[in-house]
Amino acid sequence: MEPSISRSSNASTNGLLSVNIPSHNDVEPLPPRINADDDDDDVVDPDDPFDITHTKNAPAETLQRWRQATLVLNASRRFRYTLDLKKGEDEEHKKGMIRAHAQVVRAALLFRLAGERDLAVGTGVSAPTSGDNFGVGLEQLVSMSKDQNIAALQENGGVKGLSDLLKSDLEKGINGSDDDILKRRVTFGTNTYPKKKGRSFWMFLWDAWQDLTLIILIIAAVVSLALGIKTEGLQEGWYDGGSIAFAVFLVIIVTATSDYRQSLQFQNLNSEKQNIQLEVIRGGRATKISIFDVVVGDVVPLKIGDQVPADGVIITAHSLAIDESSMTGESKIIHKDHKSPFLMSGCKVADGVGVMLVTGVGINTEWGLLMASISEDTGEETPLQVRLNGVATFIGIIGLTVAGVVLVVLLGRYFSGNTKDLNGNVEFVAGQTSISSALDDVVKIFTIAVTIVVVAVPEGLPLAVTLTLAYSMRKMMADKALVRRLSACETMGCATTICSDKTGTLTLNQMAVVEACIGRKKLNSPDDSSKLNSEVLSLIKEGIAQNTTGTVFVPKDVGETEISGSPTEKAILSWAVKLGMDFDLIRSHSTVLHVFPFNSEKKRGGVLLKQNVDSTVHIHWKGAAEIVLGKCSQYLDSNGSLLSIEEEKDFFKAAIEDMAARSLRCVAIAYRSYELDRVPSNEEDLAQWSLPEDELVLLAIVGIKDPCRPGVKDAVTICTAAGVKVRMVTGDNLQTAKAIALECGILASHIDAVEPVIIEGKTFRALSENEREQVAKQITVMGRSSPNDKLLLVQALRKGGEVVAVTGDGTNDAPALHEADIGLSMGISGTEVAKESSDIIILDDNFASVVKVVRWGRSVSANIQKFIQFQLTVNVAALAINVVAAVSSGDVPLNAVQLLWLNLIMDTLGALALATEPPTDHLMHRPPVGRREPLITNNMWRNLLLQAVYQIAVLLALNFGGESILRGNSAVETMQLKNTLIFNAFVLCQIFNEFNARKPDQMNVFTGVTKNRLFVGIVGLTLILQVIIIEFLGKFTSTVRLDWKLWLVSFIIGLVSWPLAVLGKFIPVPKTPLSRTFKRMLMRFKRSRTPATQ
């Protein structure tokens, strides 16, 4: 079944394209894509709640299911950065209430005005209340905008009268001086809204405190403290309980600090997402500003895909259609004209062009009220996060079992009289040991069991994903990529193909007209107008000046002419200026009656003009050269003669192909005369009228050069080596696309440039669904593609098992961006609609930045695997040592405080050190990570088991034979020396093993270590703290000082892990992951049991 993505592939008569972005609820996900090595039904368990390969648009039931299956000790912390399902529902309810309130007010006002008109009692609009220095007050503006009161607008003299009251000019805008802007902000407010305060450090401290095991340990510490003071006095008795309490508080503070720092990073990234850049007219000049700097009185041009930055009224509108679903909740496109002139902040331009006058900003708009009442970020989980919760749950269950066994064994040995103290005396003798002494011993045993749970349940494992994502997102900002969805960051590491736009992504987007064909004459110097007929030149200038969304600003004083608009528009306007075009003068000679805005479906745009002098009508068209040429029946030669084009079409087609073969974008400019009486005079009829595009007269064909970006060929080569296929999807001519693809290295040679490797969008579109799926795998270049073709290609590739990243910049790219595994929008050329539908915004529109995102995506999973290897080694070793010692001798060598210190090294410090490793080139020399690739690879199992077995063997040997090697002054001192040496050697093993974890599959684990200052700093800090603990905090940690010989022994035990890791990498491992083998066996066992139970 096809995903339910509703969109119209055909433009309506006014060029409107209906694009409906599917919501979370109306998308039917595509079948799961399993990599070739995963293609086995035995490894997919439908009952596994943690088997979620794609959290983008995942149903709420699926997300709720894995939460319920998770073993968690501190839910508020564990689920902090996941999607808050309840909060999302509450905020939708709040939005509905605000919308309902606004609609009720508006409906009541319309009803009252209708009644007043019927009774002929006037409009009932209140008299203007003057604002400070302005002819209209804030309250009147807010009331007019919110109620969409046309009567109030008319009373103020319409849009022209209102702009005069606001001291603004409909063409030149406000003067833009600092004083003027300040007055407007003071009088009418700023375009900001009060944001909810972020969580304070104390709230994070409270969250860290909520861990069930830590609460139990605090209670145990309090009991131990009370019993210790009672039996040994205050001076000596507080050490045991106080030590545990201090260690717990240290864990809480370090955890809270780490979490708080992460939250600040996310807050900064969220503010970056909201900081939209837009164009306003100030002092007659087009100026780019932040959306937060918009003020009342600003004149703002609007085009397809823009977000309406504030409340306002229309100055001019051509086929302007607004998507108000963000405010009304209804997915309905509203046409705007002078009969419906009010625009609401936060809405999107679905089609057309227009200019608006800002009348309300910030909290004085419905959008401002909405944003102030809700929190922007409700969290989000990632597939890796879900899977790590599954791993943590599995390890946690084992840890709880082990802790339970240790508790039962220790209690059994204690009460059966088999537990002896350091002096060899039996600790419990029935009828002789006091209740307080027995209680103290039981509390100590219980504390050890609970501490084992703290170490065994890896709460920090799922949170390490958040840490590495927060780090990666911050670094990716420096690499010109803004992450909007966390999951995209890691999914990018699985990407197998990138469908890239050409213009601005693979090319520089610095366009210039380098060739022109006017009539049959090719201009060697396209700026030379001396050989052109004046009539031809006049028509070309008129067509360029009026059929554009760009502007030309000529400073009054000496200075360069400023040209704004899209890169293509700027190139053509610049060419016309060099030909002598006076932009403002030409525009003043005629009036625009109707506009067909350029759109990526039709590949052309047109305008209907009436001359002010003689009322003659011209229709000007501009667009893709071969399409416009197909509409032409005549052409004007360079002498101004009107000739039939039929005999010359081959010449013009050859000229287009010649330009395209040299990587030039070909644009044709044409016009025709029209009769004024055939143009609809009614505004509504004119809005629905289809602008004639037949019998055109060709004026010129221009070739626009857009050079390839430096380094793009290297970036494509890197992708190819990394197993990521780069596909170019462009709206340009197929010959232009082919030339650029060869230049960029996407096509290796001309031999490859055959169908279906290179294909036109219409050819691909015409194929059946099954044929598209087969052909999609072979496509490398798609030319003359529409946004719908891009969507079809994405769907076909995903069905074929590819993990697809797609770039897009236009409004109509939104469905493809939404459908892709990773949607990448363009930060410079991209519309707001495209950006909102994307997962990552490429801030510099550069393909090389896309490749950097792939590196960071692979780095996320690689860093998590490093941390898993490190943490599981500590888990396995610590649990095994304590269990074996407890069962065999009734005592454990690692006490509660020592285990809490290990937990701190493992969870927080270990995650900081390993989860923040920068990406390396090595990551791009291996194929993409499969979606169902096991988190713990066979190499990792080999590495961690080798290290764990070594640590267990050495430390158990010390535990059982240490007393015969070490000689203290007494049995008590010997026992303390032995336990201290075990603890010290164990910690140093982890410090040395942290280096091994950096490079699980490489021999040299020290490569690039000096570049990661955080890693070096944390390892150094851990070592310094360990020295302090052993040498100065013995009373707290139940350790004694070690001489230099025992420190050397500890270091040698830890150091052995380095050569051991190198030797271990020579041990071959099976290609099939162990986890998949066990899963397959489990699934077959389940299936064999199913018939028996039915």
Side-chain angles (χ1 to χ4, degrees):
M1 183 177 176
E2 287 288 324
S4 86
I5 296 178
S6 169
R7 69 187 307 285
S8 170
S9 60
N10 298 316
S12 64
T13 52
N14 65 349
L16 176 65
L17 285 166
S18 173
V19 180
N20 295 322
I21 311 299
S23 68
H24 289 281
N25 299 323
D26 61 14
V27 175
E28 179 185 320
L30 287 165
R33 295 168 311 291
I34 303 171
N35 290 341
D37 56 345
D38 289 47
D39 197 10
D40 187 340
D41 290 340
D42 289 343
V43 301
V44 182
D45 184 357
D47 298 324
D48 184 358
F50 300 106
D51 190 9
I52 301 175
T53 58
H54 207 222
T55 56
K56 186 176 177 180
N57 309 323
E61 296 78 18
T62 305
L63 303 180
Q64 190 64 46
R65 188 166 161 243
W66 77 260
R67 286 166 171 74
Q68 292 169 346
T70 303
L71 171 68
V72 59
L73 301 174
N74 186 348
S76 61
R77 181 169 182 251
R78 178 79 75 87
F79 298 132
R80 181 185 300 131
Y81 294 111
T82 58
L83 183 65
D84 191 331
L85 301 172
K86 180 74 170 62
K87 190 175 176 184
E89 289 176 12
D90 291 345
E91 295 196 346
E92 282 302 317
H93 180 63
K94 274 186 188 176
K95 285 181 184 178
M97 286 179 66
I98 291 171
R99 288 167 181 154
H101 172 72
Q103 287 166 353
V104 166
V105 171
R106 191 171 297 127
L109 181 83
L110 291 172
F111 181 81
R112 181 167 66 82
L113 287 177
E116 287 172 349
R117 278 196 297 273
D118 290 341
L119 296 170
V121 294
T123 61
V125 177
S126 58
T129 54
S130 174
D132 186 18
N133 298 315
F134 297 97
V136 63
L138 172 62
E139 286 185 14
Q140 187 182 357
L141 280 177
V142 170
S143 174
M144 181 181 68
S145 295
K146 283 189 176 178
D147 303 335
Q148 299 202 355
N149 191 339
I150 294 178
L153 179 62
Q154 294 303 326
E155 189 170 279
N156 285 315
V159 180
K160 178 69 173 74
L162 187 60
S163 71
D164 291 340
L165 292 172
L166 291 171
K167 298 185 178 179
S168 181
D169 185 280
L170 294 182
E171 290 186 0
K172 296 183 178 179
I174 62 174
N175 66 42
S177 68
D178 291 343
D179 288 343
D180 181 42
I181 290 171
L182 182 61
K183 283 178 187 175
R184 292 175 189 277
R185 284 177 177 162
V186 170
T187 308
F188 302 112
T190 60
N191 201 28
T192 56
Y193 47 85
K195 295 180 183 177
K196 292 193 173 181
K197 282 188 177 180
R199 292 163 59 89
S200 68
F201 174 73
W202 303 108
M203 295 178 78
F204 284 96
L205 207 60
W206 176 254
D207 275 357
W209 169 269
Q210 300 303 303
D211 193 307
L212 180 63
T213 50
L214 296 182
I215 292 169
I216 293 170
L217 285 175
I218 288 289
I219 295 168
V222 170
V223 173
S224 179
L225 192 65
L227 291 170
I229 292 171
K230 182 184 175 185
T231 55
E232 298 178 40
L234 181 60
Q235 194 169 357
E236 294 290 328
W238 70 276
Y239 282 117
D240 283 350
S243 301
I244 295 170
F246 176 76
V248 170
F249 283 124
L250 183 65
V251 168
I252 289 171
I253 288 167
V254 171
T255 301
T257 304
S258 174
D259 290 351
Y260 179 60
R261 285 176 57 81
Q262 284 179 50
S263 78
L264 291 178
Q265 289 182 12
F266 284 124
Q267 281 179 32
N268 293 336
L269 288 165
N270 278 334
S271 62
E272 284 289 338
K273 291 179 200 174
Q274 296 162 356
N275 188 15
I276 297 167
Q277 298 294 309
L278 71 152
E279 207 172 72
V280 298
I281 307 297
R282 288 181 178 173
R285 176 182 303 189
T287 309
K288 274 217 164 183
I289 62 169
S290 164
I291 192 171
F292 302 128
D293 296 330
V294 171
V295 294
V296 169
D298 262 328
V299 172
V300 183
L302 297 172
K303 60 184 183 298
I304 186 169
D306 284 351
Q307 177 174 314
V308 179
D311 281 2
V313 290
I314 284 174
I315 298 172
T316 61
H318 298 289
S319 308
L320 188 64
I322 304 293
D323 179 2
E324 294 186 349
S325 59
S326 59
M327 288 307 305
T328 63
E330 297 176 11
S331 185
K332 189 177 179 183
I333 304 297
I334 309 294
H335 290 266
K336 293 290 179 179
D337 51 31
H338 292 296
K339 291 183 179 179
S340 175
F342 291 98
L343 297 169
M344 287 192 289
S345 178
C347 299
K348 304 291 188 299
V349 180
D351 195 50
V353 292
V355 181
M356 71 175 281
L357 175 70
V358 174
T359 59
V361 293
I363 200 69
N364 299 314
T365 67
E366 282 181 34
W367 179 254
L369 285 173
L370 195 66
M371 297 310 291
S373 67
I374 64 172
S375 170
E376 171 74 13
D377 191 19
T378 55
E380 172 211 353
E381 52 258 68
T382 72
L384 201 53
Q385 211 171 10
V386 176
R387 292 173 71 193
L388 281 173
N389 271 289
V391 172
T393 298
F394 176 70
I395 298 168
I397 290 168
I398 294 172
L400 281 172
T401 307
V402 168
V405 169
V406 169
L407 181 63
V408 170
V409 168
L410 290 180
L411 287 174
R413 290 182 65 97
Y414 177 77
F415 286 111
S416 64
N418 288 317
T419 304
K420 296 179 181 179
D421 62 16
L422 294 176
N423 295 313
N425 302 319
V426 176
E427 289 192 341
F428 180 80
V429 179
Q432 293 181 24
T433 306
S434 65
I435 293 173
S436 63
S437 179
L439 184 61
D440 191 24
D441 290 336
V442 169
V443 166
K444 285 179 181 176
I445 290 170
F446 188 70
T447 301
I448 289 168
V450 172
T451 311
I452 288 173
V453 175
V454 174
V455 176
V457 179
E459 284 287 285
L461 198 53
L463 293 170
V465 181
T466 314
L467 179 65
T468 190
L469 285 172
Y471 169 78
S472 300
M473 286 167 72
R474 184 164 55 85
K475 291 293 186 182
M476 283 165 75
M477 275 292 288
D479 281 342
K480 304 299 182 185
L482 172 61
V483 179
R484 296 187 76 254
R485 286 180 61 87
L486 279 176
S487 58
C489 202
E490 66 183 50
T491 307
M492 201 65 188
C494 308
T496 57
T497 185
I498 299 170
C499 298
S500 175
D501 283 340
K502 176 188 78 70
T503 307
T505 308
L506 297 169
T507 61
L508 280 170
N509 222 4
Q510 294 173 0
M511 300 191 186
V513 174
V514 295
E515 193 167 314
C517 178
I518 298 173
R520 284 183 54 90
K521 183 177 287 185
K522 282 191 180 181
L523 301 184
N524 295 326
S525 176
D527 307 340
D528 182 11
S529 61
S530 59
K531 298 177 182 177
L532 294 179
N533 177 272
S534 59
E535 184 189 350
V536 175
L537 192 58
S538 174
L539 284 169
I540 289 172
K541 289 177 185 176
E542 181 184 78
I544 291 172
Q546 290 286 23
N547 190 16
T548 183
T549 54
T551 61
V552 177
F553 176 77
V554 181
K556 290 180 182 177
D557 51 355
V558 179
E560 285 190 10
T561 300
E562 295 175 17
I563 299 172
S564 67
S566 70
T568 306
E569 295 280 15
K570 285 167 74 174
I572 293 172
L573 284 169
S574 298
W575 175 60
V577 167
K578 290 172 184 174
L579 289 175
M581 177 185 74
D582 187 325
F583 184 77
D584 292 329
L585 183 65
I586 289 173
R587 285 172 72 93
S588 68
H589 286 166
S590 57
T591 304
V592 175
L593 299 179
H594 187 52
V595 173
F596 181 95
F598 179 89
N599 70 61
S600 49
E601 288 281 349
K602 290 226 169 186
K603 311 284 185 202
R604 58 193 179 277
V607 64
L608 176 75
L609 308 174
K610 184 180 80 170
Q611 302 297 320
N612 295 337
V613 177
D614 55 8
S615 295
T616 57
V617 175
H618 287 166
I619 296 172
H620 286 275
W621 283 94
K622 179 179 69 185
E626 71 272 22
I627 294 175
V628 173
L629 179 64
K631 306 286 183 182
C632 293
S633 59
Q634 296 174 297
Y635 74 98
L636 277 174
D637 68 9
S638 56
N639 299 317
S641 304
L642 190 64
L643 304 170
S644 171
I645 205 169
E646 292 306 316
E647 295 177 5
E648 305 296 341
K649 272 204 174 173
D650 288 342
F651 168 80
F652 289 117
K653 283 179 183 176
I656 292 168
E657 286 176 8
D658 177 56
M659 289 183 192
R662 288 179 284 121
S663 309
L664 302 185
R665 169 175 277 192
C666 304
V667 176
I669 299 166
Y671 98 109
R672 65 166 290 179
S673 298
Y674 205 68
E675 296 78 27
L676 182 61
D677 55 10
R678 292 173 64 187
V679 178
S681 56
N682 182 287
E683 191 175 338
E684 289 182 6
D685 293 340
L686 186 62
Q688 298 300 319
W689 185 58
S690 183
L691 194 64
E693 53 180 339
D694 57 336
E695 298 181 10
L696 300 183
V697 177
L698 182 67
L699 297 174
I701 297 170
V702 296
I704 302 172
K705 182 69 176 174
D706 185 13
C708 264
R709 284 185 180 271
V712 79
K713 190 166 187 176
D714 293 338
V716 170
T717 304
I718 289 168
C719 278
T720 306
V724 181
K725 182 174 177 64
V726 179
R727 293 174 163 88
M728 181 201 288
V729 184
T730 177
D732 270 353
N733 181 305
L734 196 60
Q735 294 302 318
T736 306
K738 172 185 165 184
I740 291 286
L742 286 164
E743 196 177 335
C744 294
I746 293 172
L747 283 174
S749 65
H750 286 277
I751 300 168
D752 297 332
V754 292
E755 197 171 302
V757 176
I758 66 168
I759 193 170
E760 275 204 343
K762 64 182 180 183
T763 309
F764 181 70
R765 198 184 315 147
L767 299 173
S768 69
E769 190 175 328
N770 288 336
E771 287 172 332
R772 281 201 299 267
E773 199 174 321
Q774 295 303 314
V775 169
K777 295 174 184 176
Q778 303 172 58
I779 292 173
T780 302
V781 176
M782 185 185 286
R784 281 288 177 247
S785 70
S786 69
N788 192 45
D789 300 330
K790 189 184 284 188
L791 175 63
L792 292 172
L793 178 63
V794 169
Q795 289 174 338
L797 288 169
R798 289 188 71 209
K799 284 180 182 175
E802 302 278 359
V803 179
V804 185
V806 65
T807 69
D809 54 12
T811 301
N812 294 331
D813 287 328
L817 290 168
H818 187 275
E819 176 71 15
D821 296 284
I822 313 102
L824 303 158
S825 64
M826 300 296 110
I828 298 171
S829 61
T831 64
E832 286 309 310
V833 172
K835 289 174 187 175
E836 283 201 2
S837 298
S838 67
D839 305 303
I840 297 173
I841 300 172
I842 304 300
L843 298 174
D844 61 353
D845 292 15
N846 191 344
F847 184 77
S849 298
V850 177
V851 179
K852 288 176 186 175
V853 173
V854 176
R855 277 164 59 96
W856 278 109
R858 293 188 176 195
S859 176
V860 168
S861 57
N863 285 352
I864 294 302
Q865 286 183 317
K866 294 169 189 177
F867 181 56
I868 291 173
Q869 179 178 310
F870 172 67
Q871 188 166 47
L872 289 190
T873 305
V874 187
N875 276 111
V876 172
L879 287 176
I881 291 163
N882 273 358
V883 169
V884 173
V887 172
S888 59
S889 64
D891 195 11
V892 288
L894 301 172
N895 62 34
V897 176
Q898 293 168 358
L899 284 171
L900 284 170
W901 170 231
L902 275 167
N903 182 65
L904 199 61
I905 294 173
M906 245 182 9
D907 264 13
T908 309
L909 297 179
L912 272 171
L914 293 168
T916 56
E917 280 273 316
T920 61
D921 292 337
H922 176 70
L923 293 171
M924 299 301 282
H925 295 154
R926 61 191 195 191
V929 181
R931 280 251 173 100
R932 284 197 168 87
E933 280 294 304
L935 285 173
I936 310 172
T937 65
N938 288 359
N939 281 339
M940 289 168 65
W941 277 120
R942 176 196 62 200
N943 297 344
L944 76 87
L945 288 174
L946 192 67
Q947 294 292 336
V949 167
Y950 164 70
Q951 291 175 21
I952 292 165
V954 172
L955 298 180
L956 283 180
L958 283 174
N959 188 57
F960 295 115
E963 291 174 52
S964 60
I965 302 169
L966 302 167
R967 287 280 179 260
N969 296 327
S970 65
V972 173
E973 190 178 328
T974 302
M975 180 68 77
Q976 287 178 327
L977 267 176
K978 179 197 76 172
N979 286 345
T980 303
L981 180 61
I982 290 171
F983 169 57
N984 198 41
F986 191 42
V987 169
L988 289 173
C989 278
Q990 309 325 315
I991 291 173
F992 282 98
N993 193 39
E994 216 158 349
F995 286 88
N996 293 331
R998 288 186 68 246
K999 308 285 180 185
D1001 54 354
Q1002 289 178 259
M1003 290 293 180
N1004 187 359
V1005 296
F1006 304 106
T1007 309
V1009 72
T1010 53
K1011 293 179 183 176
N1012 190 349
R1013 293 178 183 176
L1014 186 60
F1015 178 88
V1016 174
I1018 286 171
V1019 169
L1021 178 66
T1022 308
L1023 185 58
I1024 291 166
L1025 289 174
Q1026 180 64 14
V1027 172
I1028 292 169
I1029 286 168
I1030 297 295
E1031 296 300 316
F1032 304 106
L1033 300 177
K1035 287 228 173 190
F1036 290 98
T1037 54
S1038 302
T1039 56
V1040 293
R1041 289 188 174 186
L1042 300 177
D1043 59 24
W1044 70 270
K1045 292 176 184 175
L1046 292 181
W1047 269 105
L1048 184 61
V1049 169
S1050 302
F1051 266 101
I1052 289 170
I1053 291 170
L1055 191 64
V1056 169
S1057 68
W1058 284 352
L1060 190 66
V1062 173
L1063 291 171
K1065 284 163 188 171
F1066 288 104
I1067 300 172
V1069 293
K1071 287 186 178 179
T1072 305
L1074 293 173
S1075 58
R1076 187 168 296 134
T1077 304
F1078 290 132
K1079 209 172 205 180
R1080 194 173 287 138
M1081 289 166 61
L1082 181 64
M1083 290 298 294
R1084 286 173 182 164
F1085 175 72
K1086 278 186 180 180
R1087 287 188 182 134
S1088 67
R1089 302 251 322 155
T1090 303
T1093 56
Q1094 289 176 346

